[in-house]
Amino acid sequence: MNLSKKWLSDYVKLNVSDKQFADEMTLSGSKVESYKTEGEEIKNVVVGRVEALERHPDSDHLWVCRVNVGGNEDLQIITGAQNLKAGDVVPVALDNSFVAGGQHIKKGKLRGLESNGMLCSLGELGLTAHDFPYAIEDGIFVLGDDCDLTLGKDIHEAIGLNDVITEFEITSNRADCLSITGLAREAAATFGAELKMPEICVKNTHGDVKDFLSVEIKDSDLCYRYAGAVVENVRIKPSPRWMRERLRACGVRPINNIVDITNFVMLELGQPMHAFDLRYLDGNKVIVRRAKDGETITTLDGLERNLTSEMLVIADENKPVAVAGVMGGEYSGIMDDTTTIVFESAMFNGVSVRRTAKALSMRTEASARYEKELDATGCLRSLTRALQLVEMLDAGDVVGGVVDCDYSSKTPVTLPFEPDWVNNFIGIDLPAQEQKKILEKLGFEVEDGTVIAPSFRNDIEHQADISEEIARFYGYDKIPDRALSGVADGRYSDFQILENKVNDILIAQGLSEICTYTFISPKEFDKIMLPEDSGLRNCVKISNPLGEDTSVMRTTAVPSMLQTLSRNYNNRNSSAGLYEIGPVYISNGDEELPDEPEKVMIGLYGSEHNYFTLKGIVENLLSNTGIKKFEIERVTDCPYMHPGRSAKISVNAEQIALLGEVHPTVAGNYSIGTRCYIAEISMDVLFKNRETEKVYKALPKFPAVTRDLAFVCEKSIPVVSLEKMIASSIGKTLENIALFDVYEGAQVEKGMKSVAFSLSLRSAERTLTDDDADTAVGKAIKALEKIGVKLRS
C-alpha cells in the first residue's frame, strides 16, 4: 500500500521528518518498506516562458528559443519540438541539471549555435498524458492554469511533483489499513495527533433512484450487501490536478473523472467500487448470482473468461456484466458518450473472490481488498462519498436515494475489558485509564467493563488481540524482557551442546555426517548374524508400515551404517569415513513407549583406514569431551565384529563404546568387498561422564625424567594389561606411558612378542634424581616378572 504524504495531511497534521514517520509507524505495527520523494532524480529544472522563437539557420526542424527563467537575462535554448509558440510556459532544464532516467543536461552547441539547457517533455519529467491530459506526449510540456506559472519556480513545486510516497507492508488481517483513512488513523494514534475524517454528504439531488434501478441478491452467502446509486447527465472530463496527484502517488493511473472517483474512494476508504453504464444494464436491474456453468464474459481487459457455478457475478436480466469483486465486463465501463451511470458499493465473500480471481488469473486492486473481508457497514459511506465527489467535480447530476440490499451481520465483536490480564499477558504495568485511551483512539469503545471493536476491525477475536493493540502503542521497545512462559531456558540444553561438540570433533577428523531411517527390515538382524535369542531382536513393530523393509524400529544402528557403507562401496567410492548421531528404540512392551537412547555410529573403509584409525578417532572423541581414564578390553563374542580385531571401551565400569573390524561374513552379506570398521558409542554414557568444567592446571615446575623399557611376553597378553601393571607399580610419579613398538620375529622366542614403552616420570614437589627413576622403574619390572614378563636384554 502506497501512502501519499499530501493525502495523509488532509486527515492528520504531523510535524515529523519522513524518516521519523517511517520509524515510528513501523514500531507501532504498520511496517514501512520504503519511502521516496516524487521526481527526486530531477534536479535544477525550473519554470520558464518562451519569449521568442525562430528557425535555426542551419536546420529545417530546429528552433532557437529565447527563454525567460526569472533571471536578469534570457537563455538561448535550441529545441526540435514543433508545438511551441511565444508566451508558452514550459519546464526548463538548466545547465548541469538532471531529468528522469538520470540524463545529465549540460550547455553545448547544436549546429553551431549555443544551447544553454533543454525544454522538457512529460516523459523527461517521468510523467504521462494521464497526469496532465491537456499536454501532448511527443512535444514540450506546456504548463496549464493548474500549475504555478511563477518564472524560475522549481518544477517540483510548480506541477505538484513533490509528494513523499511511503510504501507499507499490510498484513492480511489488517484490511482496514489498505486505505488512506486507515493509515491516517494509525498515524494519529502513533503520534498523538487529531484525526479529521472527511465530512460526507450529498447536498443536491433530484428524482428517485428506484425509478432507475432495482437490486436482487440471489446468493446472500457470497454477497452480504449490495448498494447502488444513479448519476444522470454524466459529464466525462479529466479530474482536477489534486485528484490526479493523489492517484499517481498511490500508483493508480488517472483516466477520467468518473473512473478516478471510484479509484479515489477505494484508496481513501478501502472500499472497492465500480461504475456501470446504465444503458448496457438490461431491465435496469442488478442481479447478484452464481454464474452458470459454461457462461462466459468479456472483461474490461478485452479477454473472454469462462465462468463456473462456483463464481459470483453481477448480472442484468440477460447476461453477466461483471465478475463480482474482481473486474467489470467489457460494456460495463465508462465511455465518452456515457450519460447515466450506476455506482456499485458491495460486500462479497472474501474466499469466493480469492478463488475466482485465482481461477481466472485476474488479481486486481479490488480483489486484493475483498479477499481480506472488508467492513460491510462501509458500503453506504463509500457510496455517499462517491456521490459527493461527483457533485464536487460537477461530473453529473445525482439522483436521490440509494438502493441497499443488506444481509450483513450487525452484531459487533465484544470482549471483556481486563486491564490486569493485559498487563500480565504483556509483562507491563499500565493503568486501566491509559489502556482505555489507547483503545479509544483506535476506534474501540470501552464502557461498563466491555470493549466493543469497531466494525472495520474484523481481526479482533480474542483477548490477546486487545493486548496486541495495547502493546504496540505502549511501545514494543519499552516492554521489559522476560522468559517465555512454560520454557525454562531458550538456549541449547547440555545434551544438545554435547551433541554439537561431538559433531564438530568428528567432522574435524575428516568424517562426513549421514542421516538414515530409524525404521528397518527384520531381515537386517539376520544379515548382522544376531542370535535368535538376542535381545536386540525384540523391537518395536510399526502397525501400518510402508513395506517389510521399513516395518520395525531399529534397536541398533549397525545395519543402517553398513547399508550406507555398502552403497558407497558399490558406487565405486575408493574410501569412506562416515558418522551418524541418532536414536535406537528399545522396547518396553506394548503398553509403554520405548526408550530412545542416542548413539554415535562411525563407519570406515578404504586403504587409509584400519582398526587403529578407528581407535584413534574414538579415543580423540573421548579425550576432547573430557574423558581421560577408560578401560579397553578385547571383544570376542560380538556376532557382527571380527573376534580378533574388536574391543570395547568402558568408563567407570560402564561400556561406552564398541569398535573394531566388521566380521567378514557380515561384510559379505552387505556386498562390501573390503575390510570395513565400525564403532558404536553411547551418547548417554558419554553425557554422564563428560567433563563439565575445565580445571586450570599450572605448568610443571620441575623437569621430567624419561625411561624406555622393552619387555618380552606371550602373544596372548594384552598390551593394556601391561600398561595397567606398570602404572600401578610406579604410582603417582608416572606422568605418562606410551607404547611405541611391538615386535614379533626372529629376535624373540616363538609364541612371544616384544613390547616397548616410553615412560615419563615427574614429581610436583621436587626434581627427581636418576636413583628415584631407577627405583620406580625397578618396581614395575619386578611386578611384571611375577606374571612371566621379562625385561628384554
Side-chain angles (χ1 to χ4, degrees):
M1 175 69 188
N2 289 342
L3 175 67
S4 159
K5 185 177 182 180
K6 289 183 180 179
W7 204 346
L8 176 69
S9 65
D10 292 342
Y11 314 119
V12 58
K13 303 295 184 184
L14 301 176
N15 186 25
V16 295
S17 67
D18 297 331
K19 185 178 187 307
Q20 184 181 356
F21 176 76
D23 291 344
E24 294 297 325
M25 289 293 285
T26 298
L27 281 175
S28 67
S30 301
K31 184 184 176 185
V32 173
E33 288 288 320
S34 64
Y35 62 90
K36 65 178 181 179
T37 302
E38 282 186 312
E40 57 188 354
E41 64 179 342
I42 299 170
K43 299 177 182 177
N44 204 21
V45 179
V46 300
V47 175
R49 183 174 62 234
V50 178
E51 300 293 352
L53 46 79
E54 58 184 28
R55 289 286 185 183
H56 193 293
D58 293 330
S59 174
D60 293 334
H61 71 280
L62 294 179
W63 292 89
V64 180
C65 303
R66 182 163 54 85
V67 182
N68 181 356
V69 292
N72 296 327
E73 295 183 2
D74 294 343
L75 300 178
Q76 177 174 290
I77 296 177
I78 299 175
T79 180
Q82 305 300 312
N83 67 312
L84 293 178
K85 64 181 183 302
D88 285 343
V89 179
V90 296
V92 180
L94 303 176
D95 178 37
N96 194 28
S97 61
F98 291 86
V99 296
Q103 184 181 1
H104 192 191
I105 307 301
K106 292 184 177 182
K107 65 181 180 180
K109 288 187 177 182
L110 285 175
R111 297 286 182 93
L113 295 183
E114 188 176 71
S115 181
N116 294 291
M118 182 179 74
L119 307 184
C120 299
S121 65
L122 282 170
E124 284 153 346
L125 298 178
L127 303 172
T128 69
H130 293 284
D131 300 302
F132 290 91
Y134 55 79
I136 61 174
E137 292 200 76
D138 58 352
I140 300 302
F141 174 26
V142 179
L143 276 60
D145 294 337
D146 58 354
C147 301
D148 187 340
L149 304 182
T150 305
L151 301 183
K153 188 80 170 180
D154 185 270
I155 198 65
H156 296 92
E157 298 179 19
I159 65 173
L161 192 64
N162 56 353
D163 204 349
V164 176
I165 303 166
T166 305
E167 181 186 358
F168 285 86
E169 179 188 324
I170 306 299
T171 54
S172 58
N173 66 317
R174 291 302 305 274
D176 60 300
C177 286
L178 284 171
S179 66
I180 304 299
T181 52
L183 289 173
R185 185 183 298 107
E186 292 288 311
T190 299
F191 294 98
E194 181 183 0
L195 178 65
K196 292 183 178 180
M197 300 298 279
E199 294 183 7
I200 299 176
C201 65
V202 180
K203 298 178 181 178
N204 299 311
T205 62
H206 72 280
D208 189 346
V209 70
K210 293 179 182 178
D211 296 334
F212 293 83
L213 180 69
S214 64
V215 174
E216 179 185 0
I217 298 178
K218 288 190 174 182
D219 294 286
S220 59
D221 58 324
L222 299 184
C223 179
Y224 311 133
R225 190 171 192 177
Y226 193 101
V230 175
V231 177
E232 281 193 298
N233 304 319
V234 172
R235 296 175 280 278
I236 304 296
K237 55 186 176 181
S239 301
R241 197 189 92 180
W242 62 266
M243 180 174 281
R244 299 197 307 268
E245 283 182 5
R246 282 154 174 71
L247 293 177
R248 181 184 69 230
C250 293
V252 176
R253 185 182 64 184
I255 297 176
N256 59 52
N257 51 0
I258 299 299
V259 176
D260 291 352
I261 284 171
T262 62
N263 287 330
F264 187 91
V265 173
M266 178 184 69
L267 292 170
E268 181 184 46
L269 303 178
Q271 172 66 47
M273 296 191 65
H274 188 68
F276 295 99
D277 192 327
L278 185 61
R279 61 182 164 169
Y280 295 114
L281 204 61
D282 295 347
N284 286 12
K285 184 173 184 179
V286 168
I287 302 172
V288 187
R289 61 171 173 83
R290 281 179 167 86
K292 300 171 185 176
D293 286 324
E295 203 166 22
T296 63
I297 184 174
T298 301
T299 48
L300 283 171
D301 55 7
L303 299 177
E304 186 176 79
R305 312 282 181 173
N306 296 316
L307 306 175
T308 69
S309 58
E310 295 180 353
M311 301 175 181
L312 191 71
V313 296
I314 310 301
D316 57 22
E317 290 183 338
N318 300 314
K319 64 186 181 302
V321 295
V323 181
V326 182
M327 185 180 287
E330 182 178 23
Y331 295 107
S332 70
I334 305 304
M335 305 174 189
D336 291 341
D337 59 347
T338 298
T339 58
T340 306
I341 62 172
V342 175
F343 275 124
E344 164 197 284
S345 180
M347 183 53 53
F348 304 112
N349 177 273
V351 174
S352 172
V353 171
R354 179 171 177 79
R355 288 175 177 170
T356 300
K358 186 175 181 180
L360 298 177
S361 300
M362 295 170 59
R363 185 172 174 83
T364 61
E365 286 282 349
S367 69
R369 286 168 169 79
Y370 275 126
E371 69 187 26
K372 296 175 175 63
E373 296 287 355
L374 301 178
D375 175 18
T377 65
C379 288
L380 283 184
R381 185 166 184 265
S382 301
L383 188 61
T384 306
R385 178 61 165 165
L387 298 175
Q388 180 187 33
L389 290 170
V390 168
E391 192 175 64
M392 184 187 304
L393 304 185
D394 190 30
D397 301 325
V398 179
V399 175
V402 296
V403 179
D404 185 15
C405 197
D406 188 4
Y407 292 94
S408 62
S409 172
K410 306 296 188 302
T411 305
V413 175
T414 59
L415 292 167
F417 181 50
E418 299 179 347
D420 292 338
W421 189 95
V422 170
N423 281 333
N424 182 62
F425 184 73
I426 302 174
I428 59 176
D429 185 16
L430 189 65
Q433 192 61 30
E434 293 298 318
Q435 293 188 27
K436 182 181 178 183
K437 286 181 181 179
I438 290 174
L439 293 173
E440 287 177 341
K441 67 183 180 180
L442 291 171
F444 292 79
E445 295 180 25
V446 182
E447 52 185 40
D448 300 327
T450 301
V451 178
I452 304 173
S455 59
F456 55 81
R457 290 300 302 273
N458 57 18
D459 60 311
I460 303 299
E461 297 179 355
H462 309 288
Q463 194 68 33
D465 297 324
I466 300 296
S467 300
E468 181 182 3
E469 300 303 299
I470 302 295
R472 66 193 185 98
F473 286 101
Y474 173 80
Y476 289 126
D477 54 330
K478 299 177 184 176
I479 299 174
D481 295 337
R482 64 174 180 175
L484 295 174
S485 58
V487 179
D489 198 336
R491 297 172 296 178
Y492 283 122
S493 67
D494 291 341
F495 194 89
Q496 289 171 322
I497 292 172
L498 175 64
E499 193 173 80
N500 290 339
K501 187 171 185 177
V502 170
N503 268 300
D504 293 341
I505 294 169
L506 295 179
I507 290 172
Q509 296 186 88
L511 302 186
S512 299
E513 185 178 11
I514 64 171
C515 184
T516 62
Y517 291 122
T518 55
F519 34 78
I520 61 174
S521 168
K523 294 179 182 178
E524 297 295 328
F525 298 135
D526 296 330
K527 292 174 73 173
I528 63 173
M529 302 195 303
L530 281 183
E532 291 296 327
D533 60 350
S534 172
L536 294 179
R537 288 182 178 268
N538 181 25
C539 49
V540 177
K541 296 179 176 60
I542 299 174
S543 58
N544 56 342
L546 297 174
E548 185 184 8
D549 288 346
T550 56
S551 60
V552 300
M553 305 302 293
R554 68 186 183 190
T555 54
T556 171
V558 171
S560 302
M561 177 56 72
L562 291 177
Q563 285 177 356
T564 308
L565 291 177
S566 172
R567 191 174 301 114
N568 278 270
Y569 176 79
N570 287 287
N571 277 282
R572 299 178 181 273
N573 289 331
S574 60
S575 65
L578 310 173
Y579 81 94
E580 178 182 19
I581 304 175
V584 297
Y585 299 83
I586 308 302
S587 176
N588 286 318
D590 295 337
E591 301 301 321
E592 295 185 24
L593 292 173
D595 294 331
E596 300 181 26
E598 290 274 328
K599 301 288 184 179
V600 181
M601 198 74 208
I602 301 173
L604 311 171
Y605 76 80
S607 58
E608 67 267 40
H609 298 309
N610 55 38
Y611 169 81
F612 295 105
T613 306
L614 179 64
K615 180 172 176 285
I617 291 172
V618 175
E619 288 180 336
N620 189 49
L621 173 61
L622 298 179
S623 176
N624 278 281
T625 51
I627 300 175
K628 307 296 184 184
K629 295 182 179 181
F630 48 82
E631 305 288 335
I632 302 180
E633 299 178 44
R634 176 181 294 174
V635 171
T636 58
D637 58 353
C638 182
Y640 50 82
M641 302 293 273
H642 192 298
R645 298 173 185 151
S646 56
K648 68 176 181 179
I649 299 178
S650 302
V651 177
N652 296 325
E654 188 174 10
Q655 181 175 315
I656 191 172
L658 177 68
L659 68 152
E661 182 180 330
V662 175
H663 196 289
T665 303
V666 173
N669 291 340
Y670 284 91
S671 302
I672 303 174
T674 186
R675 289 184 175 183
C676 58
Y677 308 88
I678 60 173
E680 190 174 28
I681 304 167
S682 170
M683 280 291 292
D684 293 334
V685 179
L686 190 66
F687 179 75
K688 186 193 305 183
N689 294 277
R690 77 195 188 286
E691 180 182 64
T692 55
E693 292 184 6
K694 291 188 178 296
V695 179
Y696 171 74
K697 185 177 180 181
L699 292 172
K701 297 179 181 180
F702 304 101
V705 178
T706 59
R707 293 287 189 272
D708 292 339
L709 300 176
F711 296 96
V712 177
C713 65
E714 296 179 3
K715 288 184 180 181
S716 59
I717 298 177
V719 172
V720 68
S721 63
L722 301 181
E723 288 182 352
K724 290 179 183 177
M725 291 194 70
I726 293 172
S728 61
S729 301
I730 295 178
K732 62 181 182 179
T733 57
L734 180 65
E735 185 178 61
N736 184 53
I737 179 172
L739 174 72
F740 69 87
D741 182 58
V742 177
Y743 172 75
E744 297 177 15
Q747 303 299 319
V748 296
E749 298 178 21
K750 188 176 181 179
M752 307 294 281
K753 64 182 176 181
S754 171
V755 182
F757 297 97
S758 178
L759 309 182
S760 176
L761 295 87
R762 192 193 306 268
S763 171
E765 289 84 19
R766 62 186 178 85
T767 300
L768 294 178
T769 64
D770 287 340
D771 290 341
D772 293 329
D774 292 340
T775 301
V777 169
K779 292 179 181 179
I781 294 172
K782 288 181 180 179
L784 293 175
E785 287 177 346
K786 291 180 181 180
I787 60 170
V789 178
K790 298 180 181 178
L791 188 67
R792 184 178 176 185
S793 57

